[in-house]
Amino acid sequence: MTNKAKEDAEKRNAAAVAKCLAEHTFPPKLSGWEFFKSIGSPKHVIAPMVDQSELAWRVLSRRYGADLCYTPMFNAKLFAKDVKYRDEHWAGLKDGLGGGGPNDRPLIVQFCANEPEYLLQSALLVAPYCDAVDINLGCPQHIARRGHYGSFLMEDWPLISSLISTLHKNLPIPVTAKIRVFPEAEKTVEYAKMVVAAGAQILVVHGRLREMKGHLTGVADWEKIRLVQEAVGHLVPVIANGNILYHEDVADCIEKTGCVGVMSAEGSLYNPAIFTPGHPESWRLAEEYLTICDELDTKIAYVRGHLFKIFRPSLNVHVDLRSDLGLANSREAMWEVTRKLKERLIEDEEKSRASGESFEGRKDEQGFPILPHWVAQPYFRQPMPPQEAKKDENQEQEGNATATTASAKRSADESGHRDSEDHTNTTVKSKKTMSEAERNRVKNKKAKYAATKCQNEKGCNNAFSATCSFHRCRGCCRQYQREIELYDCPPHGIRSMQKEMHIRLPRVDSDEAIGGVALEGMIVGSSAASSVAPAVEGEEQVPKPAERCLIL
Protein backbone atom coordinates (compact mmCIF):
# COMPACT_ATOMS: atom_id res chain seq x y z
CA MET A 1 0.00 0.00 0.00
CA THR A 2 1.38 3.41 -0.98
CA ASN A 3 1.66 6.30 1.44
CA LYS A 4 -1.21 8.04 -0.34
CA ALA A 5 -3.43 4.97 0.03
CA LYS A 6 -2.53 4.71 3.71
CA GLU A 7 -3.39 8.36 4.30
CA ASP A 8 -6.73 7.94 2.54
CA ALA A 9 -7.52 4.84 4.60
CA GLU A 10 -6.65 6.65 7.83
CA LYS A 11 -8.95 9.53 6.87
CA ARG A 12 -11.83 7.16 6.19
CA ASN A 13 -11.18 5.39 9.49
CA ALA A 14 -11.13 8.68 11.38
CA ALA A 15 -14.42 9.74 9.77
CA ALA A 16 -16.07 6.42 10.66
CA VAL A 17 -14.88 6.67 14.26
CA ALA A 18 -16.09 10.27 14.56
CA LYS A 19 -19.52 9.27 13.26
CA CYS A 20 -19.79 6.41 15.76
CA LEU A 21 -18.75 8.61 18.69
CA ALA A 22 -21.23 11.29 17.64
CA GLU A 23 -24.12 8.81 17.62
CA HIS A 24 -23.28 6.81 20.74
CA THR A 25 -21.88 7.35 24.21
CA PHE A 26 -19.16 5.03 25.49
CA PRO A 27 -17.66 4.63 28.97
CA PRO A 28 -13.91 5.19 29.38
CA LYS A 29 -11.94 2.57 27.46
CA LEU A 30 -10.24 0.08 29.75
CA SER A 31 -7.39 -2.28 29.00
CA GLY A 32 -6.07 -5.65 30.06
CA TRP A 33 -6.83 -6.64 33.63
CA GLU A 34 -8.95 -3.54 34.33
CA PHE A 35 -11.24 -4.44 31.45
CA PHE A 36 -11.38 -8.08 32.56
CA LYS A 37 -12.46 -7.07 36.07
CA SER A 38 -15.05 -4.63 34.69
CA ILE A 39 -16.92 -7.50 33.01
CA GLY A 40 -16.93 -9.61 36.16
CA SER A 41 -13.65 -11.56 35.80
CA PRO A 42 -15.35 -14.31 33.77
CA LYS A 43 -14.20 -17.84 34.49
CA HIS A 44 -16.61 -19.79 32.25
CA VAL A 45 -16.70 -18.69 28.62
CA ILE A 46 -18.82 -19.85 25.67
CA ALA A 47 -16.79 -19.91 22.45
CA PRO A 48 -17.65 -18.21 19.16
CA MET A 49 -19.22 -20.89 16.93
CA VAL A 50 -20.62 -20.17 13.49
CA ASP A 51 -24.41 -20.43 13.56
CA GLN A 52 -24.21 -22.18 16.94
CA SER A 53 -23.54 -19.50 19.56
CA GLU A 54 -26.59 -17.47 18.54
CA LEU A 55 -28.57 -15.40 21.03
CA ALA A 56 -30.92 -18.21 22.17
CA TRP A 57 -27.97 -20.50 22.89
CA ARG A 58 -26.17 -17.75 24.79
CA VAL A 59 -29.24 -17.15 26.94
CA LEU A 60 -29.44 -20.87 27.77
CA SER A 61 -25.71 -21.07 28.49
CA ARG A 62 -25.82 -18.11 30.87
CA ARG A 63 -28.55 -19.88 32.87
CA TYR A 64 -26.11 -22.74 33.43
CA GLY A 65 -23.06 -20.86 34.58
CA ALA A 66 -21.53 -19.13 31.55
CA ASP A 67 -19.98 -15.83 32.67
CA LEU A 68 -19.06 -14.52 29.20
CA CYS A 69 -20.34 -15.36 25.72
CA TYR A 70 -19.04 -14.74 22.22
CA THR A 71 -21.25 -14.27 19.18
CA PRO A 72 -20.83 -16.54 16.17
CA MET A 73 -18.00 -15.54 13.86
CA PHE A 74 -19.04 -12.85 11.34
CA ASN A 75 -17.25 -12.02 8.09
CA ALA A 76 -16.05 -8.44 8.57
CA LYS A 77 -16.13 -7.43 4.91
CA LEU A 78 -19.63 -8.76 4.34
CA PHE A 79 -20.84 -7.32 7.63
CA ALA A 80 -19.57 -3.86 6.65
CA LYS A 81 -20.81 -3.86 3.05
CA ASP A 82 -23.93 -6.04 2.92
CA VAL A 83 -27.00 -4.90 4.83
CA LYS A 84 -28.77 -8.19 4.07
CA TYR A 85 -25.90 -10.19 5.57
CA ARG A 86 -25.88 -7.92 8.61
CA ASP A 87 -29.63 -8.22 9.18
CA GLU A 88 -29.51 -11.99 8.75
CA HIS A 89 -26.69 -12.54 11.22
CA TRP A 90 -27.53 -9.88 13.77
CA ALA A 91 -31.22 -9.07 13.46
CA GLY A 92 -32.21 -5.89 15.26
CA LEU A 93 -28.63 -4.65 15.50
CA LYS A 94 -29.62 -1.06 16.26
CA ASP A 95 -31.99 -1.95 19.10
CA GLY A 96 -29.96 -4.86 20.42
CA LEU A 97 -32.63 -7.46 19.71
CA GLY A 98 -30.13 -9.77 18.09
CA GLY A 99 -27.75 -9.54 21.01
CA GLY A 100 -26.18 -7.07 23.38
CA GLY A 101 -29.40 -6.52 25.32
CA PRO A 102 -29.59 -6.51 29.12
CA ASN A 103 -29.83 -10.33 29.22
CA ASP A 104 -26.88 -10.82 26.89
CA ARG A 105 -23.91 -9.20 28.61
CA PRO A 106 -21.00 -9.37 28.92
CA LEU A 107 -20.71 -10.09 25.21
CA ILE A 108 -17.80 -10.16 22.77
CA VAL A 109 -18.46 -10.03 19.02
CA GLN A 110 -16.05 -12.00 16.83
CA PHE A 111 -15.04 -11.20 13.25
CA CYS A 112 -12.85 -12.92 10.73
CA ALA A 113 -10.97 -10.49 8.53
CA ASN A 114 -7.87 -9.82 6.47
CA GLU A 115 -8.45 -6.13 5.70
CA PRO A 116 -8.07 -3.67 8.62
CA GLU A 117 -10.39 -1.03 7.19
CA TYR A 118 -13.37 -3.37 6.76
CA LEU A 119 -12.68 -4.85 10.19
CA LEU A 120 -12.85 -1.42 11.81
CA GLN A 121 -16.04 -0.50 9.95
CA SER A 122 -17.75 -3.67 11.15
CA ALA A 123 -16.44 -3.27 14.70
CA LEU A 124 -17.83 0.26 14.89
CA LEU A 125 -21.29 -1.02 13.92
CA VAL A 126 -21.41 -3.45 16.86
CA ALA A 127 -19.39 -1.44 19.39
CA PRO A 128 -22.44 0.13 21.11
CA TYR A 129 -23.97 -3.31 21.73
CA CYS A 130 -21.06 -5.36 23.09
CA ASP A 131 -18.14 -5.15 25.49
CA ALA A 132 -15.28 -5.97 23.10
CA VAL A 133 -14.54 -7.10 19.54
CA ASP A 134 -12.56 -10.27 18.95
CA ILE A 135 -10.45 -11.18 15.91
CA ASN A 136 -10.63 -14.83 14.84
CA LEU A 137 -7.11 -16.14 14.33
CA GLY A 138 -7.98 -19.77 15.05
CA CYS A 139 -10.54 -21.06 12.53
CA PRO A 140 -8.98 -24.12 10.77
CA GLN A 141 -11.77 -24.91 8.30
CA HIS A 142 -11.53 -25.13 4.50
CA ILE A 143 -13.58 -21.95 4.12
CA ALA A 144 -10.99 -20.07 6.20
CA ARG A 145 -8.24 -21.27 3.86
CA ARG A 146 -10.20 -20.09 0.82
CA GLY A 147 -11.02 -16.75 2.42
CA HIS A 148 -7.53 -16.30 3.90
CA TYR A 149 -8.55 -15.67 7.49
CA GLY A 150 -8.57 -17.43 10.84
CA SER A 151 -5.63 -19.76 11.47
CA PHE A 152 -4.46 -19.28 7.88
CA LEU A 153 -3.11 -15.87 8.86
CA MET A 154 -0.73 -17.44 11.40
CA GLU A 155 2.31 -16.98 9.15
CA ASP A 156 1.46 -13.36 8.29
CA TRP A 157 2.40 -11.59 11.50
CA PRO A 158 2.52 -8.08 9.98
CA LEU A 159 -1.09 -8.42 8.78
CA ILE A 160 -2.24 -9.77 12.16
CA SER A 161 -0.49 -6.90 13.91
CA SER A 162 -2.16 -4.41 11.58
CA LEU A 163 -5.63 -5.88 12.16
CA ILE A 164 -5.29 -5.75 15.94
CA SER A 165 -3.56 -2.38 16.17
CA THR A 166 -6.13 -0.73 13.89
CA LEU A 167 -8.90 -1.65 16.30
CA HIS A 168 -6.79 -0.91 19.37
CA LYS A 169 -6.04 2.62 18.17
CA ASN A 170 -9.48 3.52 16.80
CA LEU A 171 -12.21 1.45 18.44
CA PRO A 172 -13.88 2.93 21.56
CA ILE A 173 -14.02 -0.53 23.17
CA PRO A 174 -11.23 -3.12 23.67
CA VAL A 175 -10.05 -5.63 21.06
CA THR A 176 -9.32 -9.27 21.93
CA ALA A 177 -7.92 -12.23 19.97
CA LYS A 178 -8.31 -16.01 19.81
CA ILE A 179 -5.34 -18.00 18.50
CA ARG A 180 -4.15 -21.55 17.89
CA VAL A 181 -0.71 -22.90 18.74
CA PHE A 182 2.25 -23.72 16.52
CA PRO A 183 4.04 -27.09 16.66
CA GLU A 184 6.97 -25.34 18.35
CA ALA A 185 6.37 -24.04 21.87
CA GLU A 186 8.89 -21.20 21.42
CA LYS A 187 7.18 -19.94 18.28
CA THR A 188 3.80 -20.14 20.00
CA VAL A 189 5.05 -17.94 22.84
CA GLU A 190 6.57 -15.39 20.44
CA TYR A 191 3.33 -15.36 18.46
CA ALA A 192 1.32 -14.66 21.61
CA LYS A 193 3.68 -11.85 22.60
CA MET A 194 3.25 -10.25 19.17
CA VAL A 195 -0.56 -10.42 19.40
CA VAL A 196 -0.55 -8.81 22.85
CA ALA A 197 1.98 -6.15 21.82
CA ALA A 198 -0.30 -5.22 18.90
CA GLY A 199 -3.10 -4.39 21.34
CA ALA A 200 -5.12 -7.50 22.27
CA GLN A 201 -6.56 -6.99 25.77
CA ILE A 202 -7.66 -10.61 26.34
CA LEU A 203 -5.97 -13.61 24.74
CA VAL A 204 -7.76 -16.93 24.22
CA VAL A 205 -5.41 -19.81 23.38
CA HIS A 206 -6.79 -22.91 21.70
CA GLY A 207 -4.22 -25.60 22.43
CA ARG A 208 -4.49 -27.39 19.08
CA LEU A 209 -2.60 -27.04 15.83
CA ARG A 210 -4.26 -25.74 12.69
CA GLU A 211 -4.26 -29.26 11.24
CA MET A 212 -6.13 -30.70 14.22
CA LYS A 213 -9.75 -30.57 13.12
CA GLY A 214 -12.60 -32.86 12.12
CA HIS A 215 -11.56 -36.51 12.18
CA LEU A 216 -7.98 -35.44 12.95
CA THR A 217 -8.96 -33.60 16.12
CA GLY A 218 -6.62 -34.63 18.88
CA VAL A 219 -5.85 -33.63 22.43
CA ALA A 220 -5.21 -29.95 23.06
CA ASP A 221 -1.78 -29.12 24.46
CA TRP A 222 -2.32 -27.53 27.87
CA GLU A 223 1.45 -27.23 28.34
CA LYS A 224 1.74 -24.73 25.48
CA ILE A 225 -1.17 -22.79 26.92
CA ARG A 226 0.65 -22.71 30.27
CA LEU A 227 3.79 -21.34 28.60
CA VAL A 228 1.78 -18.57 26.93
CA GLN A 229 0.13 -17.74 30.25
CA GLU A 230 3.52 -17.46 31.94
CA ALA A 231 4.84 -15.23 29.13
CA VAL A 232 1.98 -12.71 28.79
CA GLY A 233 -0.38 -13.41 31.70
CA HIS A 234 1.02 -10.50 33.69
CA LEU A 235 0.01 -8.15 30.85
CA VAL A 236 -3.43 -9.47 29.85
CA PRO A 237 -5.80 -12.23 31.00
CA VAL A 238 -5.26 -15.56 29.21
CA ILE A 239 -8.17 -17.97 28.71
CA ALA A 240 -7.63 -21.65 27.86
CA ASN A 241 -9.61 -23.49 25.17
CA GLY A 242 -9.60 -27.25 24.53
CA ASN A 243 -10.09 -30.60 26.32
CA ILE A 244 -13.19 -29.60 28.32
CA LEU A 245 -15.41 -32.68 28.30
CA TYR A 246 -16.91 -32.60 31.78
CA HIS A 247 -17.54 -29.98 34.42
CA GLU A 248 -14.63 -31.36 36.45
CA ASP A 249 -12.24 -30.56 33.58
CA VAL A 250 -12.69 -26.82 34.15
CA ALA A 251 -10.87 -26.78 37.49
CA ASP A 252 -8.29 -29.25 36.16
CA CYS A 253 -7.52 -27.00 33.18
CA ILE A 254 -7.20 -23.86 35.29
CA GLU A 255 -4.87 -25.64 37.69
CA LYS A 256 -2.60 -27.04 34.98
CA THR A 257 -2.48 -23.97 32.71
CA GLY A 258 -2.63 -21.19 35.28
CA CYS A 259 -5.22 -19.38 33.14
CA VAL A 260 -7.95 -17.21 34.64
CA GLY A 261 -10.75 -18.91 32.74
CA VAL A 262 -11.79 -21.69 30.40
CA MET A 263 -13.59 -21.49 27.07
CA SER A 264 -15.81 -24.32 25.84
CA ALA A 265 -17.08 -24.88 22.31
CA GLU A 266 -18.25 -28.37 21.43
CA GLY A 267 -18.34 -29.39 25.06
CA SER A 268 -21.10 -26.84 25.57
CA LEU A 269 -22.90 -27.87 22.38
CA TYR A 270 -23.43 -31.42 23.64
CA ASN A 271 -24.04 -30.28 27.20
CA PRO A 272 -25.05 -26.61 27.59
CA ALA A 273 -24.88 -27.16 31.36
CA ILE A 274 -21.19 -28.07 31.23
CA PHE A 275 -20.28 -25.21 33.60
CA THR A 276 -22.70 -26.62 36.20
CA PRO A 277 -22.03 -29.80 38.23
CA GLY A 278 -24.05 -32.89 37.35
CA HIS A 279 -25.54 -34.41 34.22
CA PRO A 280 -29.03 -33.05 33.43
CA GLU A 281 -31.50 -35.00 31.31
CA SER A 282 -31.15 -34.06 27.67
CA TRP A 283 -34.89 -33.58 27.20
CA ARG A 284 -35.00 -30.97 29.98
CA LEU A 285 -32.27 -28.94 28.27
CA ALA A 286 -34.01 -29.31 24.90
CA GLU A 287 -37.34 -28.10 26.27
CA GLU A 288 -35.70 -25.10 27.91
CA TYR A 289 -33.84 -24.22 24.72
CA LEU A 290 -36.99 -24.55 22.58
CA THR A 291 -38.88 -22.24 24.96
CA ILE A 292 -36.16 -19.61 24.55
CA CYS A 293 -36.23 -20.07 20.77
CA ASP A 294 -40.00 -19.50 20.70
CA GLU A 295 -39.49 -16.18 22.47
CA LEU A 296 -36.57 -15.06 20.27
CA ASP A 297 -37.76 -16.44 16.92
CA THR A 298 -34.55 -18.38 16.28
CA LYS A 299 -33.76 -19.77 12.82
CA ILE A 300 -34.93 -23.35 12.30
CA ALA A 301 -31.53 -24.52 11.03
CA TYR A 302 -29.85 -23.38 14.24
CA VAL A 303 -32.46 -25.09 16.42
CA ARG A 304 -32.27 -28.38 14.54
CA GLY A 305 -28.48 -28.47 14.79
CA HIS A 306 -28.54 -27.91 18.54
CA LEU A 307 -31.20 -30.56 19.14
CA PHE A 308 -29.22 -33.17 17.22
CA LYS A 309 -26.23 -32.54 19.47
CA ILE A 310 -28.16 -32.43 22.76
CA PHE A 311 -30.00 -35.64 21.83
CA ARG A 312 -27.07 -37.43 20.22
CA PRO A 313 -26.76 -40.32 22.74
CA SER A 314 -30.55 -40.67 22.86
CA LEU A 315 -30.92 -40.79 19.07
CA ASN A 316 -28.35 -43.58 18.94
CA VAL A 317 -30.90 -45.65 20.86
CA HIS A 318 -34.17 -44.32 19.41
CA VAL A 319 -32.89 -44.10 15.85
CA ASP A 320 -36.36 -43.89 14.27
CA LEU A 321 -36.72 -40.32 15.56
CA ARG A 322 -33.62 -39.15 13.72
CA SER A 323 -35.49 -38.81 10.46
CA ASP A 324 -38.38 -37.04 12.22
CA LEU A 325 -36.01 -34.45 13.62
CA GLY A 326 -34.13 -34.11 10.33
CA LEU A 327 -37.39 -33.45 8.45
CA ALA A 328 -38.80 -31.07 11.07
CA ASN A 329 -39.12 -27.68 9.37
CA SER A 330 -40.85 -25.74 12.14
CA ARG A 331 -40.44 -25.30 15.87
CA GLU A 332 -43.81 -26.99 16.36
CA ALA A 333 -42.48 -30.09 14.62
CA MET A 334 -39.34 -29.99 16.75
CA TRP A 335 -41.43 -29.69 19.89
CA GLU A 336 -43.33 -32.79 18.78
CA VAL A 337 -40.14 -34.81 18.29
CA THR A 338 -38.86 -33.61 21.67
CA ARG A 339 -42.10 -34.70 23.38
CA LYS A 340 -41.91 -38.16 21.80
CA LEU A 341 -38.30 -38.59 22.81
CA LYS A 342 -39.00 -37.27 26.30
CA GLU A 343 -41.67 -39.94 26.86
CA ARG A 344 -39.31 -42.69 25.74
CA LEU A 345 -36.39 -41.42 27.80
CA ILE A 346 -38.48 -41.15 30.96
CA GLU A 347 -39.63 -44.71 30.36
CA ASP A 348 -36.03 -45.85 29.79
CA GLU A 349 -34.93 -44.20 33.02
CA GLU A 350 -37.78 -45.78 35.01
CA LYS A 351 -37.03 -49.24 33.62
CA SER A 352 -33.35 -48.82 34.46
CA ARG A 353 -34.16 -47.78 38.01
CA ALA A 354 -36.65 -50.62 38.44
CA SER A 355 -34.06 -53.16 37.30
CA GLY A 356 -31.59 -51.87 39.87
CA GLU A 357 -29.12 -50.64 37.24
CA SER A 358 -26.69 -48.04 38.52
CA PHE A 359 -24.26 -45.83 36.62
CA GLU A 360 -22.63 -44.33 39.68
CA GLY A 361 -18.87 -44.79 39.60
CA ARG A 362 -18.89 -46.71 36.33
CA LYS A 363 -16.04 -45.92 33.95
CA ASP A 364 -14.92 -47.14 30.57
CA GLU A 365 -11.49 -48.57 29.73
CA GLN A 366 -10.13 -45.04 29.28
CA GLY A 367 -11.35 -43.84 32.66
CA PHE A 368 -14.29 -41.76 31.47
CA PRO A 369 -17.69 -42.01 33.16
CA ILE A 370 -20.27 -44.33 31.61
CA LEU A 371 -23.48 -42.33 31.49
CA PRO A 372 -27.04 -43.32 30.56
CA HIS A 373 -28.26 -42.22 27.16
CA TRP A 374 -30.94 -39.92 28.59
CA VAL A 375 -28.47 -37.42 30.05
CA ALA A 376 -26.32 -34.82 28.28
CA GLN A 377 -22.77 -36.02 27.71
CA PRO A 378 -19.70 -35.36 25.55
CA TYR A 379 -19.05 -36.76 22.10
CA PHE A 380 -15.68 -38.40 21.44
CA ARG A 381 -13.89 -38.46 18.10
CA GLN A 382 -11.33 -41.01 17.04
CA PRO A 383 -7.73 -40.16 18.05
CA MET A 384 -5.49 -38.22 15.71
CA PRO A 385 -3.02 -40.75 14.28
CA PRO A 386 0.64 -40.19 15.32
CA GLN A 387 2.26 -38.15 12.60
CA GLU A 388 5.44 -40.27 12.49
CA ALA A 389 3.41 -43.47 12.20
CA LYS A 390 1.33 -41.86 9.48
CA LYS A 391 4.51 -40.91 7.61
CA ASP A 392 5.85 -44.45 7.87
CA GLU A 393 2.53 -45.81 6.64
CA ASN A 394 2.57 -43.52 3.62
CA GLN A 395 6.13 -44.56 2.81
CA GLU A 396 5.16 -48.21 3.06
CA GLN A 397 2.19 -47.62 0.75
CA GLU A 398 4.41 -45.83 -1.74
CA GLY A 399 6.89 -48.73 -1.61
CA ASN A 400 4.16 -51.30 -2.19
CA ALA A 401 2.72 -49.24 -5.02
CA THR A 402 6.14 -48.89 -6.62
CA ALA A 403 6.69 -52.65 -6.40
CA THR A 404 3.23 -53.27 -7.89
CA THR A 405 3.87 -50.83 -10.71
CA ALA A 406 7.28 -52.37 -11.43
CA SER A 407 5.70 -55.81 -11.59
CA ALA A 408 3.02 -54.52 -13.91
CA LYS A 409 5.68 -52.96 -16.13
CA ARG A 410 7.62 -56.22 -16.32
CA SER A 411 4.42 -58.00 -17.34
CA ALA A 412 3.76 -55.39 -19.97
CA ASP A 413 7.32 -55.66 -21.30
CA GLU A 414 7.04 -59.43 -21.49
CA SER A 415 3.65 -59.16 -23.14
CA GLY A 416 5.00 -56.69 -25.64
CA HIS A 417 7.94 -58.96 -26.38
CA ARG A 418 5.62 -61.90 -27.00
CA ASP A 419 3.43 -59.76 -29.20
CA SER A 420 6.39 -58.67 -31.27
CA GLU A 421 7.42 -62.26 -31.71
CA ASP A 422 3.90 -63.01 -32.93
CA HIS A 423 4.32 -60.17 -35.44
CA THR A 424 1.47 -58.11 -33.88
CA ASN A 425 1.28 -54.31 -34.20
CA THR A 426 1.78 -53.77 -30.43
CA THR A 427 4.92 -51.81 -29.55
CA VAL A 428 6.30 -51.37 -26.01
CA LYS A 429 8.41 -48.24 -25.65
CA SER A 430 11.47 -48.87 -23.49
CA LYS A 431 12.45 -46.41 -20.76
CA LYS A 432 15.69 -45.65 -22.57
CA THR A 433 13.85 -44.37 -25.64
CA MET A 434 11.42 -42.20 -23.60
CA SER A 435 11.84 -38.46 -23.49
CA GLU A 436 12.45 -36.82 -20.11
CA ALA A 437 8.87 -35.47 -20.06
CA GLU A 438 7.47 -38.97 -20.69
CA ARG A 439 9.58 -40.45 -17.91
CA ASN A 440 8.32 -37.74 -15.51
CA ARG A 441 4.72 -38.54 -16.45
CA VAL A 442 5.24 -42.21 -15.66
CA LYS A 443 6.90 -41.31 -12.37
CA ASN A 444 4.05 -38.98 -11.39
CA LYS A 445 1.48 -41.62 -12.23
CA LYS A 446 3.20 -44.03 -9.88
CA ALA A 447 3.21 -41.52 -7.05
CA LYS A 448 -0.40 -40.58 -7.67
CA TYR A 449 -1.49 -44.21 -7.53
CA ALA A 450 0.29 -44.68 -4.23
CA ALA A 451 -1.19 -41.55 -2.65
CA THR A 452 -4.83 -41.88 -3.70
CA LYS A 453 -5.96 -45.31 -2.59
CA CYS A 454 -9.23 -45.11 -0.64
CA GLN A 455 -8.57 -45.19 3.10
CA ASN A 456 -11.71 -47.16 3.97
CA GLU A 457 -10.69 -49.55 6.76
CA LYS A 458 -13.02 -52.23 5.36
CA GLY A 459 -10.99 -52.39 2.19
CA CYS A 460 -11.62 -50.54 -1.06
CA ASN A 461 -9.53 -50.55 -4.23
CA ASN A 462 -10.93 -47.30 -5.59
CA ALA A 463 -8.92 -44.10 -5.70
CA PHE A 464 -10.01 -41.05 -3.73
CA SER A 465 -10.18 -37.43 -4.84
CA ALA A 466 -7.14 -35.41 -3.84
CA THR A 467 -9.53 -32.87 -2.27
CA CYS A 468 -11.48 -35.37 -0.14
CA SER A 469 -11.31 -34.44 3.55
CA PHE A 470 -11.46 -38.08 4.64
CA HIS A 471 -9.20 -39.65 1.97
CA ARG A 472 -11.96 -41.82 0.54
CA CYS A 473 -13.67 -42.44 -2.74
CA ARG A 474 -17.04 -40.80 -3.25
CA GLY A 475 -19.15 -43.71 -2.02
CA CYS A 476 -17.00 -44.53 0.99
CA CYS A 477 -16.73 -40.84 1.93
CA ARG A 478 -20.48 -40.39 2.00
CA GLN A 479 -20.99 -43.54 4.03
CA TYR A 480 -18.28 -42.44 6.48
CA GLN A 481 -19.87 -38.99 6.87
CA ARG A 482 -23.16 -40.62 7.79
CA GLU A 483 -21.46 -42.90 10.32
CA ILE A 484 -19.70 -40.07 12.15
CA GLU A 485 -22.58 -37.62 11.62
CA LEU A 486 -20.20 -34.94 10.42
CA TYR A 487 -20.69 -33.57 6.91
CA ASP A 488 -17.40 -31.80 6.38
CA CYS A 489 -16.20 -32.78 2.91
CA PRO A 490 -17.12 -30.15 0.28
CA PRO A 491 -16.25 -32.28 -2.80
CA HIS A 492 -18.39 -35.15 -1.52
CA GLY A 493 -21.08 -33.13 0.25
CA ILE A 494 -24.50 -34.70 0.74
CA ARG A 495 -26.90 -32.14 -0.68
CA SER A 496 -30.12 -34.09 -0.99
CA MET A 497 -30.72 -35.26 2.56
CA GLN A 498 -34.37 -34.23 2.80
CA LYS A 499 -35.27 -35.77 -0.55
CA GLU A 500 -33.73 -39.09 0.43
CA MET A 501 -34.46 -38.98 4.16
CA HIS A 502 -36.19 -42.34 4.04
CA ILE A 503 -32.86 -43.99 3.30
CA ARG A 504 -30.36 -41.54 4.80
CA LEU A 505 -29.59 -40.14 8.18
CA PRO A 506 -30.44 -36.46 8.61
CA ARG A 507 -27.73 -33.98 7.83
CA VAL A 508 -26.86 -32.69 11.25
CA ASP A 509 -23.85 -30.56 10.48
CA SER A 510 -23.12 -28.55 7.40
CA ASP A 511 -19.76 -28.24 5.82
CA GLU A 512 -18.99 -24.75 7.07
CA ALA A 513 -20.11 -25.03 10.54
CA ILE A 514 -17.92 -26.72 12.19
CA GLY A 515 -15.90 -23.60 12.01
CA GLY A 516 -16.10 -23.93 12.16
CA VAL A 517 -15.17 -22.31 14.11
CA ALA A 518 -16.06 -23.95 14.46
CA LEU A 519 -16.31 -26.03 16.52
CA GLU A 520 -13.35 -25.14 17.61
CA GLY A 521 -13.02 -26.47 21.05
CA MET A 522 -13.42 -30.17 21.41
CA ILE A 523 -11.95 -31.72 23.82
CA VAL A 524 -10.18 -34.12 25.93
CA GLY A 525 -7.85 -34.26 28.86
CA SER A 526 -10.42 -34.68 31.53
CA SER A 527 -9.53 -35.12 35.12
CA ALA A 528 -10.55 -38.72 34.70
CA ALA A 529 -7.97 -39.37 32.04
CA SER A 530 -5.17 -37.18 30.82
CA SER A 531 -5.55 -38.06 27.18
CA VAL A 532 -8.19 -39.35 24.85
CA ALA A 533 -9.11 -38.14 21.48
CA PRO A 534 -12.21 -36.00 21.53
CA ALA A 535 -15.12 -36.24 19.51
CA VAL A 536 -16.14 -33.24 17.85
CA GLU A 537 -16.22 -27.10 15.15
CA GLY A 538 -18.15 -26.61 15.31
CA GLU A 539 -14.87 -24.26 17.12
CA GLU A 540 -14.13 -23.21 14.37
CA GLN A 541 -14.93 -24.40 14.88
CA VAL A 542 -17.36 -22.95 13.25
CA PRO A 543 -17.17 -22.23 11.51
CA LYS A 544 -18.94 -24.91 9.54
CA PRO A 545 -18.83 -24.13 6.02
CA ALA A 546 -22.23 -24.54 6.22
CA GLU A 547 -21.26 -25.72 9.58
CA ARG A 548 -20.36 -22.32 9.70
CA CYS A 549 -16.92 -23.24 13.38
CA LEU A 550 -15.00 -23.13 12.16
CA ILE A 551 -15.54 -23.86 16.38
CA LEU A 552 -13.29 -22.03 13.98
Side-chain angles (χ1 to χ4, degrees), residues 30-205:
L30 301 177
S31 60
W33 285 99
E34 288 185 346
F35 166 63
F36 184 72
K37 292 175 183 177
S38 74
I39 59 175
S41 300
K43 179 180 177 181
H44 303 147
V45 184
I46 295 298
M49 297 171 285
V50 176
D51 291 353
Q52 297 180 95
S53 56
E54 84 288 352
L55 177 57
W57 191 256
R58 300 196 299 268
V59 172
L60 177 66
S61 300
R62 292 181 194 277
R63 292 181 181 179
Y64 287 94
D67 304 316
L68 169 65
C69 293
Y70 283 61
T71 67
M73 180 193 73
F74 303 138
N75 184 300
K77 188 172 184 178
L78 291 176
F79 200 92
K81 296 179 64 176
D82 191 338
V83 175
K84 184 177 179 181
Y85 176 90
R86 199 157 58 235
D87 290 342
E88 178 183 355
H89 288 80
W90 193 326
L93 173 63
K94 292 185 178 180
D95 51 23
L97 293 179
N103 296 324
D104 191 29
R105 303 293 282 270
L107 177 69
I108 295 180
V109 178
Q110 188 187 71
F111 289 104
C112 67
N114 53 31
E115 297 179 70
E117 186 173 354
Y118 284 122
L119 176 60
L120 177 60
Q121 291 175 14
S122 296
L124 289 170
L125 289 172
V126 303
Y129 315 107
C130 64
D131 298 281
V133 168
D134 185 78
I135 301 176
N136 184 326
L137 301 174
C139 179
Q141 301 303 317
H142 303 294
I143 191 172
R145 180 192 293 273
R146 294 195 298 269
H148 189 53
Y149 61 80
S151 64
F152 296 96
L153 298 181
M154 288 175 68
E155 287 75 25
D156 195 344
W157 291 16
L159 175 56
I160 290 176
S161 180
S162 177
L163 291 170
I164 297 173
S165 62
T166 297
L167 294 195
H168 180 55
K169 294 174 183 177
N170 296 286
L171 198 63
I173 60 175
V175 56
T176 67
K178 184 172 186 289
I179 66 173
R180 283 199 172 215
V181 299
F182 284 94
E184 306 83 10
E186 296 80 5
K187 189 172 183 179
T188 299
V189 170
E190 291 305 311
Y191 180 45
K193 288 181 178 179
M194 180 274 295
V195 170
V196 171
Q201 303 305 310
I202 291 179
L203 184 65
V204 177
V205 184

